[in-house]
């Protein structure tokens, strides 16, 4: 049957013996988020999947991807979920032969940055909703926010303005749970 992109990456890493890392140490800690249909969902769903597996939200998020996608993740998606910039890292990696990537920046602005700037949650414009529909040919539905009850209102939100509800990583929430001091020290990276 069909495999998600995430599961295929997991299988490639496994087939390549976790790229030199101890199979015993990595294999049982590596999980895939298999429902995301675009980059916004990739970030939000991965945070929820982390919460489901660990019992808490991540203190630091490090996204690894193509360098040309950094602004989309850092300036648009991270901002849409209001995750603190001081606890968000984007590690941009370009392929070894990056000459073929020159036109990608303009394409990124037209097909991703522009649409997500106008529709931060990807649910109000035809371009983004069509992309999600075409990336879900088997009509699967994600299980979220199951396991992440604090994110229920964010998962249901479909506005053009920034979400204003409470989130687990809000400064106020961190102070209430006693996590504020540990999260603020991460800024010195």
């Amino acid at each position: 049957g069909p495999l998600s992109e995430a599961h295929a990456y997991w299988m490639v890493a496994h087939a390549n013996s976790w790229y030199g890392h101890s199979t015993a140490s990595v294999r049982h800690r590596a999980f895939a988020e298999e429902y995301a249909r675009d980059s916004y969902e990739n970030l939000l769903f991965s945070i929820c999947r982390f919460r489901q597996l660990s019992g808490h939200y991540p203190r630091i998020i490090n996204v690894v991807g193509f360098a040309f996608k950094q602004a989309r993740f850092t300036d648009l998606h991270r901002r849409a979920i209001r995750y603190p910039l001081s606890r968000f890292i984007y590690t941009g990696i370009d392929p070894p032969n990056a000459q073929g990537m020159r036109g990608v920046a303009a394409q990124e602005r037209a097909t991703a940055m522009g649409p997500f700037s106008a529709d931060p949650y990807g649910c109000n414009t035809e371009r983004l909703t069509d992309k999600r529909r075409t990336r879900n040919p088997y009509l699967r539905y994600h299980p979220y926010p199951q396991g992440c009850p604090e994110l229920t209102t964010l998962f249901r939100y479909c506005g053009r303005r920034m979400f204003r509800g409470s989130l687990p990583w809000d400064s106020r929430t961190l102070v209430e749970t006693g996590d504020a001091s540990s999260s603020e020290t991460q800024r010195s990276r």
Side-chain angles (χ1 to χ4, degrees):
L3 296 176
S4 69
E5 182 178 6
H7 189 74
Y9 285 137
W10 190 98
M11 291 177 63
V12 167
H14 182 68
N16 286 285
S17 301
W18 302 98
Y19 299 99
H21 295 278
S22 166
T23 299
S25 117
V26 176
R27 184 177 188 273
H28 301 290
R29 294 183 303 119
F31 294 90
E33 191 299 303
E34 304 202 26
Y35 294 93
R37 299 163 295 173
D38 61 31
S39 53
Y40 170 76
E41 286 186 349
N42 240 329
L43 180 59
L44 180 60
F45 291 10
S46 293
I47 291 169
C48 189
R49 185 71 176 129
F50 183 93
R51 164 72 164 79
Q52 288 176 330
L53 295 166
S54 70
H56 58 88
Y57 290 97
R59 286 190 177 89
I60 295 175
I61 294 175
N62 188 354
V63 175
V64 178
F66 288 120
F68 70 85
K69 293 182 179 184
Q70 182 168 354
R72 183 187 341 160
F73 276 89
T74 303
D75 300 340
L76 299 179
H77 302 328
R78 180 206 54 82
R79 186 182 301 150
I81 66 168
R82 297 193 341 256
Y83 200 83
L85 181 59
S86 63
R87 296 174 27 214
F88 188 89
I89 301 162
Y90 189 95
T91 303
I93 299 173
D94 286 324
N97 186 5
Q99 290 101 337
M101 303 284 289
R102 288 200 176 112
V104 173
Q107 186 178 358
E108 167 73 2
R109 284 190 298 278
T111 63
M113 290 292 290
F116 274 114
S117 292
D119 183 10
Y121 303 94
C123 54
N124 286 297
T125 58
E126 191 173 334
R127 170 176 249 153
L128 294 175
T129 56
D130 282 352
K131 182 186 284 189
R132 286 181 180 170
R133 199 173 8 267
T134 60
R135 291 181 174 181
N136 189 17
Y138 303 104
L139 304 175
R140 292 177 21 158
Y141 186 76
H142 66 78
Y144 312 115
Q146 184 177 329
C148 306
E150 306 87 351
L151 298 180
T152 299
T153 54
L154 179 59
F155 269 95
R156 292 183 180 155
Y157 186 70
C158 186
R160 290 185 184 268
R161 295 180 184 212
M162 289 297 142
F163 175 75
R164 297 261 186 234
S166 178
L167 293 169
W169 42 84
D170 287 341
S171 297
R172 179 183 71 245
T173 305
L174 291 173
V175 169
E176 290 169 3
T177 62
D179 268 351
S181 61
S182 63
S183 65
E184 293 305 318
T185 60
Q186 302 300 327
R187 181 70 173 132
S188 62
R189 291 180 152 244

